[in-house]
Amino acid sequence: MTTAVVTGLGITAPNGLGTEDYWKATLAGESGLGPVTRFDATQYPSRIAGEVGDYVAEEHIPSRLMPQTDHMTRLALTAADWALADAGIDTTDMPEYGIGVVTAASGGAVEFGQRELQNLWSKGKEYVSAYQSFAWFYAVNTGQISIRHKLRGPSGVLLTEQAGGIDSLGHARRHIRKGFPAVISGGIDAAICPWGWVPQIASGLMSTVNDPARAYLPFSPDAGGYVPGEGGAILLVEDAESARTRQAATVYGEIAGYAATLDPAPATGRPPGLRRAVENALADAQITAGDIDVVFADAAGVPDLDRAEAQTLTALFGAHGVPVTAPKTMTGRLLAGGAALDVATALLSLRDGVIPPTANVGAPDPGHTIDLVTEAREANLRHALVLARGHGGFNAALVVRRG
């Protein structure tokens, strides 16, 4: 079976622009959460977010693309550029149909869509950009990355909310196994605008605590919801033989196992699907639970959801059986970008032999019998398990193996 490896990373996160800046901040426990600045959130019950600061789009995006993109797509284009550069791939040297693009999305470029609808309602149809026909679309990141780099390989988009970043990488591996040498994959999201904010508030899962250090505390006795964020990660997934042939400078690790499940309908009496996703991912990687050295948790920050995840981990690994971490406490939950960023973080952990902390959570709820890592911890790491759950019952699990 063809081996799929990751040879390039591009990260745009609330606590760091670029892979090494993000990684340094994450290991130091530096948070990117703070009061919302991208719009006036004072009228809303939730007013904390993880925003990507110090990003100047004009420094990264050609002027011709500025009118047809919003913040989300600009971040995605930038991260894709960085991932390709990190991998040392010149797309013009690859076969014409050799590189595909598979990304994750939640609601598309909602900031662009909101702006144009406001123009329609307040000024009239002649003030609506022609780019509205595609710029808001959930597949816009995939499309813009493909066009910018003239990539004609298999492309697609996965819409499984927080689970999408893992699902996109699973599909990327599928294309590698079909014989394509490389796929750009992962997820970048940005929905910090009223149109993206209100649906999340309506879910009842968002935190209403307005202290950035206390707003998002997964697995804590004080857990009271999640904080949204923007950004994520784009990864270059490559056939291992292709990487060897071109003497790739870095192989971060192998995508060794992947599985996805869907929770049953409420009141059916059937258990949630997260455990089955983990078991299937382990089987796909041809390893057992005892081979996992660290778990990057979904970490919903909602007591009932945290409890269900902790119980799943205890059932699979035993009480305090494996280190568990949730570095997303420093970024917020990034919708379609969150799981991709967790996978990138897991690969950096494998590279450097260190588990990043779950910031701001002093100790887990005593009812959760998990070994929650709250300070950076050195460890001999070979396999990492990354978990994600998306709104609507989506579950995804990914095993990455040190190269």
Side-chain angles (χ1 to χ4, degrees), residues 131-290:
Y131 296 121
Q132 171 70 354
S133 62
F134 66 82
W136 65 272
F137 195 45
Y138 57 82
V140 65
N141 288 353
T142 288
Q144 288 284 16
I145 292 169
S146 299
I147 293 168
R148 176 167 169 75
H149 296 284
K150 299 181 174 60
L151 306 178
R152 304 179 68 180
S155 297
V157 58
L158 280 298
L159 286 87
T160 51
E161 208 248 356
Q162 185 78 19
I166 287 178
D167 290 333
S168 68
L169 291 166
H171 279 255
R173 186 183 67 161
R174 182 176 299 173
H175 289 308
I176 296 296
R177 288 179 168 178
K178 289 180 179 178
F180 295 94
V183 179
I184 295 173
S185 190
I188 301 284
D189 218 330
I192 302 179
C193 64
W195 200 7
W197 204 250
V198 171
Q200 294 187 74
I201 291 175
S203 72
L205 304 178
M206 276 179 66
S207 172
T208 56
V209 175
N210 291 311
D211 175 358
R214 304 302 301 164
Y216 179 34
L217 301 173
F219 302 114
S220 165
D222 299 320
Y226 75 92
V227 168
E230 62 185 13
I234 297 294
L235 296 80
L236 198 291
V237 183
E238 189 172 358
D239 170 55
E241 185 58 36
S242 169
R244 280 191 293 269
T245 299
R246 68 177 188 86
Q247 298 181 325
T250 304
V251 175
Y252 290 96
E254 174 193 349
I255 298 177
Y258 160 70
T261 61
L262 187 66
D263 287 340
T268 61
R270 296 166 58 197
L274 182 62
R275 176 171 179 171
R276 185 160 49 91
V278 175
E279 290 172 338
N280 289 346
L282 294 175
D284 186 37
Q286 298 183 359
I287 61 174
T288 67

Side-chain angles (χ1 to χ4, degrees), residues 9-11 17-24 82 86 252 348 351:
L9 299 178
I11 293 175
L17 269 176
T19 297
E20 296 308 326
D21 284 350
Y22 161 76
W23 184 230
K24 180 180 178 181
W82 289 345
D86 186 36
Y252 290 96
L348 293 169
R351 181 192 71 179

Side-chain angles (χ1 to χ4, degrees), residues 10 22 24 46 67-68 71 75 84 122 138 154 172 175 197 199 218 308 394:
Y22 161 76
K24 180 180 178 181
S46 300
Q68 56 182 282
H71 186 55
L75 291 175
L84 284 166
S122 62
Y138 57 82
H175 289 308
W197 204 250
F394 299 104

